[in-house]
Amino acid sequence: MSVRAAEDLASGDHACAVPVSDEQLWELTARFLSGGLRRNEKVVYFDDGTSERVLDRLTEDRMPVAATLRSGQLQVVPADVTRGAFRSPVADVRALLHSYVDASVAQGWSGFRMTGQMSYGADAPAGIPMTAYDAALDDVVRERRLAALCLYDHGHYTQEQIERMRATHREELTAPAAYDDGLLRITQTGVTSVRLAGEADHSNRPVIHKLITDTLDRALRSADAPTDIELNLASLRFLDVAGAVALVHAAEEFPSSHRLVLGDVRPGVQRVLDRCGAPFATQLLVREARQPPARLPEPADGPHGPRERRVAGAEPPAGWGNGSRPEQDGPGAAGAPDATDAPDEDPRREPATEGAPG
């Protein structure tokens, strides 16, 4: 089995992923979905009770979630529809998948990709093993050239089930991290930049402090390294007071030539930082969470002229209502957050820039 990154998947690829934490699960899912949105593909997420967190992560990645839901490019299939599929014969599920692809072609999207949480099928409610459904999906992937990502996390699958499903896939996705304790995930995004996702508290505070000091040390030793040590906090949902104090103190120890930059800070985290002295730390810059763009950039034209643009309001594909026969299926997804709290008038804080590059 080959190992690839989520952003490398393209039409005709059928891969699996075995995330070691919830944060890695959301990261992989969002990267796979956003890759399709940027390619002007129809993107479908089969929900099993997790769509809210997926939409949150896409918003944190500055994808225009509300706009893509309205246009129909992004569709969340409701949990009852997803679960109904695992109560249906394999042939019916194969036909259902073809109907989704047919609708995508009719609507003018450049491709089709799908993923989702389908852990309901782990218990084989219809007495049909997941390997049978996966084989049907693989047939459709090969025939219709769609992209599919199957997710098997340790919270919903036994190790035996995971290994069985791994054996049925040709490729497995990976998303390496600098640190992941199941509560906080840290990924390196550049020479002097990292992203923190999850929750920061006393258990992982020493890791964050060491990360900052090691990165600053490398920057000081390199003539070409940026002078800003950047921590992207878009996906950091909790920061305790001691952790905020530690970040402020770390910045106060920076030389005048370098800064600690906290980017895309959520309102709740920002309030904790403000109470712990962030506005008064001269080598600390706090950037508020930015709004996602109103829409995606138009994709490049194809070799034979302008691409077809999907017309908003086209009919959604057929869905699955009771597990025995197709019926109409709407997007079935709640909207994502559109704005953050209003910023304080603090001259030390850099204002958010709407539509700025991520």
Side-chain angles (χ1 to χ4, degrees), residues 26-41:
W26 312 135
E27 178 185 326
L28 281 167
T29 306
R31 284 166 63 177
F32 176 75
L33 295 176
S34 60
L37 292 173
R38 292 191 178 98
R39 291 182 176 93
N40 199 42
E41 296 176 350

Side-chain angles (χ1 to χ4, degrees), residues 164-215:
R164 188 182 305 122
M165 299 312 297
R166 262 179 166 154
T168 65
H169 290 79
R170 302 183 298 276
E171 297 178 312
E172 181 173 344
L173 295 193
T174 182
Y179 176 80
D180 193 332
D181 63 3
L183 188 67
L184 177 71
R185 180 173 172 83
I186 302 175
T187 52
Q188 197 81 32
T189 56
V191 177
T192 59
S193 60
V194 297
R195 178 166 180 161
L196 276 61
E199 301 183 9
D201 64 8
H202 68 281
S203 65
N204 44 48
R205 193 180 310 130
V207 175
I208 299 174
H209 183 267
K210 186 176 188 303
L211 171 76
I212 294 172
T213 56
D214 289 351
T215 305

Side-chain angles (χ1 to χ4, degrees), residues 74-321:
L74 172 61
Q75 179 180 354
V76 178
V77 177
D80 60 337
V81 177
T82 302
R83 295 170 184 177
F86 289 105
R87 298 192 297 269
S88 305
V90 173
D92 289 356
V93 173
R94 185 184 287 110
L96 173 65
L97 294 173
H98 277 291
S99 75
Y100 274 91
V101 182
D102 288 341
S104 171
V105 173
Q107 293 164 2
W109 299 114
S110 65
F112 180 90
R113 67 177 53 204
M114 56 169 283
T115 188
Q117 283 289 88
M118 304 181 191
S119 55
Y120 182 75
D123 295 330
I128 302 172
M130 285 198 70
T131 51
Y133 290 113
D134 190 80
L137 171 59
D138 196 62
D139 288 342
V140 179
V141 168
R142 292 173 183 270
E143 182 179 347
R144 304 301 301 274
R145 304 296 297 170
L146 61 119
L149 172 61
C150 300
L151 302 163
Y152 305 109
D153 64 288
H154 292 275
H156 295 94
Y157 298 87
T158 66
Q159 188 61 40
E160 181 182 356
Q161 288 173 323
I162 289 174
E163 294 306 322
R164 188 182 305 122
M165 299 312 297
R166 262 179 166 154
T168 65
H169 290 79
R170 302 183 298 276
E171 297 178 312
E172 181 173 344
L173 295 193
T174 182
Y179 176 80
D180 193 332
D181 63 3
L183 188 67
L184 177 71
R185 180 173 172 83
I186 302 175
T187 52
Q188 197 81 32
T189 56
V191 177
T192 59
S193 60
V194 297
R195 178 166 180 161
L196 276 61
E199 301 183 9
D201 64 8
H202 68 281
S203 65
N204 44 48
R205 193 180 310 130
V207 175
I208 299 174
H209 183 267
K210 186 176 188 303
L211 171 76
I212 294 172
T213 56
D214 289 351
T215 305
L216 175 62
D217 184 63
R218 287 197 303 271
L220 290 171
R221 292 174 183 272
S222 172
D224 301 325
T227 56
D228 284 350
I229 309 303
E230 299 185 28
L231 274 59
N232 185 308
L233 306 187
S235 298
L236 188 70
R237 293 180 297 280
F238 174 79
L239 174 68
D240 66 7
V241 171
V245 171
L247 288 174
V248 172
H249 286 176
E252 289 173 339
E253 296 175 357
F254 271 45
S256 58
S257 57
H258 288 69
R259 297 185 304 179
L260 177 61
V261 178
L262 307 180
D264 279 353
V265 181
R266 301 161 73 101
V269 171
Q270 183 174 288
R271 286 191 288 270
V272 176
L273 287 165
D274 286 350
R275 289 198 297 268
C276 295
F280 307 102
T282 56
Q283 301 308 112
L284 177 64
L285 178 62
V286 178
R287 291 175 174 158
E288 299 170 0
R290 295 170 290 176
Q291 295 294 318
R295 59 180 295 180
L296 289 167
E298 291 289 340
D301 290 336
H304 305 296
R307 291 187 185 273
E308 283 188 274
R309 307 300 183 199
R310 195 268 190 187
V311 179
E315 290 297 316
W320 210 254

Side-chain angles (χ1 to χ4, degrees), residues 345-358:
E345 297 300 325
D346 183 349
R348 284 279 308 129
R349 184 179 301 133
E350 183 169 300
T353 304
E354 186 165 356

